[in-house]
Amino acid sequence: GAGLTLALACASMLLGCGYSLAGKANSLPPEVKTVFLLPLENRTARSQVEQFLGRAIADELVRRQRLTLVSDRTKADSLLSGAIVGFNVVPVTFDDQGRALRYEITILAELALKRRVPEGVLWSNDRYVFRDNYEIEVSERDYFDRETLVIRRVAEKFAETAVTDLLEGF
């Protein structure tokens, strides 16, 4: 009825204005088929954060199958590099004794995809900001283990967004 007609009209207007379905657009040149992921640089005091993010990006590239991840730099059409430039954990809620119950984690990163030959930047973003919250029991002794789990979860979100941006050019 009228609802379906309205929905179809809205959808066609959105598609006509340059919007597209996620996963369908592609901003990379067609000859760029392979990528070598350089180890991410860690410019923060938090150890291993670059390893978690690098692993998540590699997994996401493999999952998407648009670019083939290669282990030999000389066989890659493009090079993906980046740095973790900020890492922060702050308490956001407290109990009656002033002990933190919930924390917010923030990760700031830079990424760039460059053509290997001839050299040139294909895509970059130097202001990726990711945040997530997590609760901790006051009696917990495994604070850093809990933080590591949250970093892994944030890394997956980070990778999904970064690879989408890289592939779709948003």
Side-chain angles (χ1 to χ4, degrees):
L4 179 60
T5 304
L6 180 61
L8 290 173
C10 288
S12 65
M13 284 182 2
L14 285 175
L15 291 173
C17 292
Y19 287 89
S20 62
L21 298 174
K24 299 296 183 193
N26 187 355
S27 66
L28 295 176
E31 67 275 10
V32 175
K33 295 180 180 353
T34 58
V35 62
F36 178 80
L37 178 61
L38 286 96
L40 297 179
E41 185 183 340
N42 185 355
R43 299 183 198 154
T44 74
R46 177 56 162 94
S47 65
Q48 295 186 306
V49 68
E50 80 286 358
Q51 294 171 23
F52 296 132
L53 291 170
R55 189 172 301 119
I57 290 170
D59 291 346
E60 188 67 17
L61 285 166
V62 169
R63 190 179 73 74
R64 295 288 182 96
Q65 300 180 349
R66 163 54 185 92
L67 288 173
T68 301
L69 190 62
V70 296
S71 59
D72 182 347
R73 182 184 184 129
T74 63
K75 292 192 168 107
D77 302 321
S78 61
L79 306 172
L80 182 58
S81 61
I84 311 311
V85 296
F87 178 86
N88 197 21
V89 177
V90 295
V92 291
T93 59
F94 302 88
D95 67 9
D96 295 339
Q97 286 80 42
R99 294 176 293 200
L101 298 174
R102 178 178 276 282
Y103 290 83
E104 180 180 76
I105 185 171
T106 304
I107 298 173
L108 176 63
E110 307 172 344
L111 286 176
L113 181 72
K114 297 177 182 171
R115 185 189 311 265
R116 193 175 66 81
V117 178
E119 285 187 28
V121 175
L122 296 167
W123 170 90
S124 69
N125 186 329
D126 64 355
R127 290 292 301 169
Y128 267 105
V129 179
F130 286 84
R131 289 187 176 89
D132 201 359
N133 290 297
Y134 63 101
E135 292 180 13
I136 188 164
E137 295 296 322
V138 174
S139 62
E140 278 192 65
R141 300 282 185 245
D142 62 342
Y143 171 80
F144 287 104
D145 293 339
R146 180 71 155 238
E147 184 177 276
T148 298
L149 292 173
V150 174
I151 293 170
R152 288 180 188 198
R153 191 169 68 224
V154 171
E156 291 170 7
K157 292 179 189 178
F158 170 93
E160 188 176 318
T161 301
V163 171
T164 296
D165 287 350
L166 182 150
L167 294 177
E168 299 178 8
F170 288 115

